[in-house]
Amino acid sequence: MKPPASRPTIQPHQERAVAAEAEQQLSLTAALGLAEEPQPAPEPGPTRPRSRQRQAAPAAPPAATTASSSPDSDLPPWHHHSLVAPEQLTPMLRHYVELKAAHPDRVLLYRLGDFFECFFEDAITLSRLLELTLTGKEGGKAVGRVPMAGIPHHAAERYCAELVRRGLSVALCDQLESTPAKGELLKRGITRVLTPGTVLEEGLLAARLNNWLCAVVMEGACWGLAVADVSTGEFRVTERTGSAGLHQELLQVEAAEVLWPGNTASASAGPCPTWCPEALRLTPLPRTPFEAPEASATLKQRFGLASLDGLGLGEAPLALRAAGGLVAYLDDTSRARVPLDPPTTWQAGDQLVLDAATRRNLELTKTQLGGSVHGSLLWALDRTHTAMGGRCLRRWLQAPLVERPAILERQGGVSELVADRGLRLTLRRLLRPMGDLERLAGRAGAGSASARDLVALADGLERLPQLAAQLTNATSAPLQALARPWPELESLAGELRHALLDTPPLSLTEGGLFHDGVDPALDELRNQLDDQDTWLAQQESEERRLSGLSSLKLQYHRTFGYFLAVSKAKAAAVPEHWIRRQTLANEERFVTPALRNREGAIQQLKARAAQREYELFCGLRIQVGEQAAAIRTAARLVAELDALGALAEVAATSGYCCPEITDPAGPEARLLQIEAGRHPVVEQLLVEEPFTANSVVLGAIPEAAPRPDLIILTGPNASGKSCYLRQTGLLQLMAQMGSWIPATSARLGIADRLFTRVGAGDDLAAGQSTFMVEMAETANILHHASERSLVLLDEIGRGTATFDGLSIAWAVAEHLATPAERGGIGARSIFATHYHELNALAGQLANVANAQVLVQETGDALIFLHQVAPGGASRSYGIEAARLAGVPAAVVLRARQVLGRIEANSVVQVNQDEPSGADGALAA
């Protein structure tokens, strides 16, 4: 995000002018009826019919009463609010410090006139992060000037979005009245708390990303996790053991904020717990809301339940506590009750298990280099038209299914849309203009939706009957789910259409929201305003006649009200009863006694009409909020339809096939057979040449035709081995998410876990070298893989000495291929390596096969064919690859000489007496 422009520094002599201008603006605000207290509606009199016109912990006590800033420090005096005694401050700053003490870990934005200002440490933070000018404000006679920085109030959302994106929480203190009582400060209070996990505003959220708020409760090795997206209402909980599993879950959901019941004072200063990824924002909270009695009471009150047994949390006490603490935090930070679904539980085996390394290596949602969506699997598959459809597709991709009926049901929806091109295109045309119904309903329920939000909601709800009509003859379950009537939502859409203008203004307090004929009281006020407009037109004509100035115009200015405008040249000829109001460079502005007297009545009518429209809108918004659950139910079905349509569009236009999912209880439960498979991302990135398709068969059946459990894949560098590994993993994942896959045919068994170990990388912050990271990921695979897992390994053992690395690679491959009943794993695996000695495994274990990536040598040229064929390679062509990369010729020549000597004098042979590998020996 581009850093926002700095606000010009306000000098002391300018502050009085700013304050005077703010007072004048507040007076006008009162006249326009923007105060919080609603005015009573006028008594409806005889109405003329109007025609519709379509279109956290307290801060520490102050430690000093003098500005403490050492000569070596670059911090300004009074760089923290605790350094000054509150009684020495001005009343306004004293109030600021009181609010800051109640929100010590949040940036406090305090409304002063047209700006939100920060003071003390928040001013320093704001000026540094947003590149604003750090100014000062008089804090009192004994204090002097204190640091100050601020942002324009009309741009608060943009600046707050940047602060939240950087992981900060913001407390907005706004004005609660338009004019202060005599001798009193203007009343102000906290109106909104923005934290990374609780934001609802459209400008603060990524449209196609869920914004997850998490809460964690730890007890020994057990943990409970609650996950909620406040903007969409989704709410899930789980309870398990092992901190490593919690770490993986938090990485998977990419939580915006993680709540944790700990000592807030020590937790803020202490190191991040090992179970929390360092990239996530951890918010320590008091323990009380996370205790079982308080958590239970909170959940019962929120969902109107007498007992929590129906939620299925009786066997998950830690998950219950996490859910209760999350809801309590949400209630504490939100000004209104945000609609939230009752929590549902999920377990580790409910989806295909993908650890963080696998997600990173397969580049599911972002690339390893640069973290861009472009080039990821999500980029290749996402043809959705709506934001909620995009989020749905992302969730499917991150959590593939493991139950065959669910996979076949989703696959059936994709297949039906692939087969019926006309239906697919019609549905996608209807979906294209739909708004984000999930989040629109959430904002309405939270009382923060604008008039334009409700109009967008009506647009979307009006399309539900059209979608249902198109799906009347659908045969697959996902499509049939939306082919139903929605009478309540259709009625709501009609009411919104009847009431609101098609293009209402952004402001809710200045009128112009509703059609004529919606409310008799509003119609009467508008009739009176029409009468006043008629009088103004007559007054303009009359004054033009009296003055003889044909160019005279009666105009209105928001600040100066109504006036008569004439040019400078004709200002001397105005009538005597005109009163000069303002002089500009090219014109003079006047008022008349009659115009001045009538102006007050007009302003009062406008204020009463605007106030009445605001009251009507609030009632309409509440009505929509009451239907939030029903709207979200429909929205999720629409999102699934959009995701199915996207998968069908890719499949139909890219030559995909429908994979056959084998019976998990049948003899081919472990089969992985793909004919002419293609990498779904790489083939879209290739422009000048077609992608080379390759087949793969895994999953041994001793009684039938033998198929390998382990493929040893050899070949040159940059020949496509890593691409082949990733391609196999992505096609298995796509099949289990219910998608078609890029291949001519496929028969796949369901995997319980998918592991990949591809590429090199270190973790210097954790003190781990490249080899240690490689070994840690390998160890995780060997500890958790089963015979139903799919394991894809690339270059295991390359980060250490040759014989050490070869020994490790041999042992790992052997352990993966050996059946579980003989002490191994028996997982379906592809092992890419430059250790050609591993080809000997195929002669020692019946379920191991060799494969190689073919190359063609033409003189000094080396042509990569990217074709995988049976048999093991005897050369890696590393020196040729170095030459192609530009290594100096002398170095290449010397490398060939050294290689010849090594090959002539080195022999590596592995003797294995037992198939399990227990007595194998490595001899050189």
Side-chain angles (χ1 to χ4, degrees):
M1 180 178 290
K2 183 179 179 181
S6 301
R7 180 170 61 88
T9 303
I10 298 179
Q11 301 299 331
H13 69 275
Q14 295 173 314
E15 291 180 1
R16 291 188 294 274
V18 171
E21 183 180 351
E23 264 185 23
Q24 183 181 23
Q25 195 69 20
L26 288 170
S27 304
L28 291 168
T29 303
L32 291 172
L34 301 183
E36 291 292 323
E37 292 296 326
Q39 297 183 9
E43 292 293 331
T47 41
R48 298 193 297 271
R50 299 180 64 88
S51 59
R52 280 173 66 88
Q53 296 182 359
R54 292 283 182 185
Q55 37 149 331
T65 56
T66 58
S68 60
S69 183
S70 64
D72 298 331
S73 173
D74 59 352
L75 294 174
W78 310 120
H79 57 270
H80 197 276
H81 73 276
S82 62
L83 297 175
V84 60
E87 61 271 12
Q88 295 179 340
L89 293 169
T90 61
M92 187 276 293
L93 282 176
R94 192 180 309 133
H95 184 228
Y96 179 91
V97 169
E98 292 171 358
L99 293 175
K100 183 62 182 174
H103 300 271
D105 297 325
R106 296 174 179 138
V107 175
L108 178 59
L109 296 176
Y110 193 87
R111 179 73 178 270
L112 288 179
D114 289 337
F115 285 87
F116 278 108
E117 303 285 4
C118 286
F119 303 95
F120 303 106
E121 68 271 24
D122 285 350
I124 299 171
T125 300
L126 202 69
S127 65
R128 185 182 72 252
L129 295 180
L130 303 183
E131 299 185 13
L132 303 177
T133 302
L134 184 64
T135 63
K137 183 174 182 64
E138 194 65 35
K141 292 182 179 179
V143 176
R145 297 181 68 78
V146 300
M148 179 180 77
I151 58 176
H153 79 93
H154 62 269
E157 182 173 306
R158 177 164 57 90
Y159 287 99
C160 287
E162 176 65 14
L163 294 174
V164 170
R165 188 186 67 81
R166 293 173 178 264
L168 297 177
S169 296
V170 180
L172 287 172
C173 175
D174 212 337
Q175 298 168 174
L176 303 180
E177 59 184 3
S178 55
T179 53
K182 187 174 182 180
E184 298 289 336
L185 280 175
L186 194 67
K187 188 177 181 181
R188 298 179 178 89
I190 302 295
T191 58
R192 183 80 171 94
V193 174
L194 301 172
T195 75
T198 62
V199 291
L200 290 169
E201 289 75 6
E202 183 180 8
L204 304 181
L205 294 168
R208 292 177 173 267
L209 278 173
N210 280 98
N211 194 63
W212 296 113
L213 172 67
C214 297
V216 175
V217 173
M218 294 283 296
E219 229 177 54
C222 299
W223 50 269
L225 173 65
V227 180
D229 185 339
V230 178
S231 65
T232 64
E234 298 162 85
F235 193 10
R236 301 180 294 135
V237 297
T238 188
E239 182 171 322
R240 299 180 213 164
T241 59
S243 60
L246 175 58
H247 190 276
Q248 292 291 338
E249 286 292 342
L250 293 175
L251 281 175
Q252 176 182 338
V253 301
E254 300 179 9
E257 186 176 7
V258 181
L259 311 178
W260 174 45
N263 187 320
T264 55
S266 61
S268 299
C272 184
T274 55
W275 50 262
C276 182
E278 292 192 9
L280 303 184
R281 172 180 170 82
L282 185 65
T283 302
L285 295 173
R287 296 181 180 274
T288 302
F290 292 88
E291 297 298 334
E294 287 77 6
S296 297
T298 301
L299 292 175
K300 289 177 184 177
Q301 181 182 8
R302 162 57 76 121
F303 299 109
L305 301 173
S307 170
L308 298 179
D309 295 339
L311 298 179
L313 298 179
E315 302 298 323
L318 297 183
L320 183 151
R321 291 169 55 188
L326 185 148
V327 171
Y329 178 76
L330 187 58
D331 291 340
D332 181 57
T333 56
S334 301
R335 60 183 175 183
R337 174 165 291 191
V338 179
L340 206 61
D341 297 340
T344 58
T345 59
W346 93 96
Q347 303 299 328
D350 294 346
Q351 61 192 45
L352 176 64
V353 178
L354 304 166
D355 60 24
T358 299
R359 296 173 186 278
R360 182 178 65 252
N361 292 331
L362 293 181
E363 299 182 315
L364 299 183
T365 58
K366 58 186 177 182
T367 59
Q368 286 183 278
L369 183 62
S372 171
V373 174
H374 185 273
S376 68
L377 179 61
L378 179 64
W379 166 80
L381 299 180
D382 192 359
R383 307 287 177 85
T384 57
H385 284 321
T386 67
M388 50 191 174
R391 293 194 300 271
C392 178
L393 183 63
R394 177 186 284 264
R395 288 195 300 272
W396 287 359
L397 191 150
Q398 292 179 324
L401 304 170
V402 292
E403 297 295 332
R404 187 168 182 260
I407 296 173
L408 294 179
E409 181 178 291
R410 191 181 291 170
Q411 190 184 88
V414 176
S415 299
E416 185 171 357
L417 292 176
V418 171
D420 193 336
R421 180 175 181 271
L423 175 62
R424 183 178 76 248
L425 296 180
T426 300
L427 293 174
R428 287 171 61 77
R429 185 175 65 252
L430 289 172
L431 290 170
R432 185 183 295 275
M434 286 190 75
D436 195 340
L437 301 185
E438 276 186 311
R439 286 179 170 171
L440 290 171
R443 288 202 289 273
S448 60
S450 67
R452 294 187 180 182
D453 286 339
L454 298 193
V455 170
L457 191 60
D459 288 340
L461 296 180
E462 286 176 340
R463 292 179 179 271
L464 292 179
Q466 301 176 52
L467 292 171
Q470 294 294 327
L471 297 170
T472 303
N473 298 321
T475 58
S476 59
L479 303 187
Q480 290 175 341
L482 199 56
R484 50 163 285 195
W486 303 88
E488 302 87 356
L489 300 184
E490 292 175 34
S491 174
L492 178 62
E495 190 166 345
L496 292 174
R497 277 287 183 218
H498 172 76
L500 295 172
L501 296 176
D502 294 338
T503 54
L506 289 172
S507 174
L508 300 179
T509 56
E510 297 179 4
L513 305 175
F514 287 86
H515 283 296
D516 291 335
V518 172
D519 178 67
L522 179 60
D523 286 348
E524 176 60 25
L525 290 170
R526 287 179 171 176
N527 285 333
Q528 295 181 38
L529 285 171
D530 288 347
D531 293 340
Q532 298 295 342
D533 289 341
T534 301
W535 182 88
L536 290 172
Q538 294 172 351
Q539 188 72 5
E540 182 182 38
S541 300
E542 178 67 15
E543 294 299 336
R544 187 179 290 129
R545 183 185 64 80
L546 292 175
S547 63
L549 302 175
S550 59
S551 60
L552 179 146
K553 293 181 180 179
L554 194 154
Q555 296 176 335
Y556 175 79
H557 188 275
R558 184 183 182 90
T559 302
F560 301 104
Y562 291 97
F563 57 86
L564 300 168
V566 298
S567 64
K568 280 272 193 182
K570 299 179 179 179
V574 301
E576 293 184 358
H577 67 281
W578 285 18
I579 305 169
R580 190 184 307 273
R581 167 162 280 189
Q582 189 182 21
T583 299
L584 300 181
N586 298 318
E587 73 175 16
E588 294 283 349
R589 294 176 175 178
F590 300 87
V591 295
T592 65
L595 189 60
R596 177 175 287 175
N597 293 335
R598 187 64 67 102
E599 182 177 354
I602 295 173
Q603 297 287 22
Q604 287 184 5
L605 283 173
K606 285 185 176 180
R608 290 167 61 193
Q611 181 66 24
R612 181 58 183 164
E613 286 201 61
Y614 181 72
E615 293 170 358
L616 291 172
F617 177 80
C618 289
L620 192 61
R621 185 166 59 187
I622 291 173
Q623 183 180 347
V624 174
E626 292 172 350
Q627 296 287 333
I631 294 172
R632 281 175 166 169
T633 298
R636 285 163 191 164
L637 292 176
V638 172
E640 290 181 7
L641 177 64
D642 193 15
L644 291 171
L647 294 178
E649 183 70 16
V650 176
T653 58
S654 302
Y656 286 13
C657 76
C658 180
E660 177 187 343
I661 306 299
T662 62
D663 185 355
E668 295 186 332
R670 299 178 61 252
L671 176 64
L672 190 157
Q673 181 177 359
I674 301 172
E675 296 294 333
R678 311 185 305 277
H679 195 294
V681 179
V682 176
E683 78 164 346
Q684 291 191 31
L685 294 173
L686 292 177
V687 177
E688 298 180 354
E689 58 185 65
F691 185 87
T692 302
N694 284 294
S695 302
V696 61
V697 179
L698 287 172
I701 303 178
E703 298 81 7
R707 289 190 288 265
D709 277 331
L710 171 66
I711 292 177
I712 301 295
L713 179 64
T714 51
N717 296 96
S719 61
K721 297 193 301 297
S722 296
C723 180
Y724 183 73
L725 292 179
R726 290 188 173 100
Q727 169 185 311
T728 304
L730 290 177
L731 298 192
Q732 176 75 40
L733 183 148
M734 288 173 63
Q736 289 192 221
M737 66 181 280
S739 172
W740 285 26
I741 65 174
T744 57
S745 67
R747 300 174 65 211
L748 300 168
I750 298 173
D752 61 348
R753 291 172 178 262
L754 175 57
F755 295 100
T756 63
R757 165 55 247 173
V758 181
D762 54 30
D763 189 354
L764 298 179
Q768 291 188 326
S769 65
T770 301
F771 183 67
M772 283 301 296
V773 170
E774 176 186 316
M775 289 298 99
E777 293 181 1
T778 303
N780 176 64
I781 294 171
L782 297 179
H783 281 301
H784 295 97
S786 72
E787 65 175 7
R788 292 187 56 200
S789 301
L790 177 59
V791 180
L792 308 168
L793 299 176
D794 185 25
E795 303 297 350
I796 295 297
R798 64 183 170 181
T800 186
T802 302
F803 288 163
D804 287 355
L806 173 57
S807 303
I808 293 171
W810 184 288
V812 168
E814 195 174 64
H815 189 68
L816 287 170
T818 302
E821 59 269 19
R822 297 169 59 187
I825 298 175
R828 297 169 294 171
S829 310
I830 302 178
F831 194 114
T833 183
H834 285 292
Y835 293 131
H836 304 123
E837 294 77 10
L838 266 63
N839 288 326
L841 269 174
Q844 300 181 13
L845 295 175
N847 63 339
V848 178
N850 294 327
Q852 61 178 316
V853 184
L854 301 179
V855 296
Q856 180 179 338
E857 291 184 87
T858 306
D860 292 336
L862 189 64
I863 301 174
F864 298 115
L865 302 179
H866 305 297
Q867 187 70 50
V868 177
S874 59
R875 295 180 57 191
S876 289
Y877 299 95
I879 296 177
E880 282 72 12
R883 180 182 60 80
L884 293 174
V887 174
V891 177
V892 172
L893 177 62
R894 179 56 179 162
R896 285 176 175 156
Q897 295 172 352
V898 174
L899 176 63
R901 294 178 183 176
I902 292 175
E903 289 179 337
N905 295 285
S906 297
V907 177
V908 177
Q909 181 179 359
V910 178
N911 299 319
Q912 180 165 340
D913 299 326
E914 296 295 331
S916 65
D919 297 329
L922 184 69

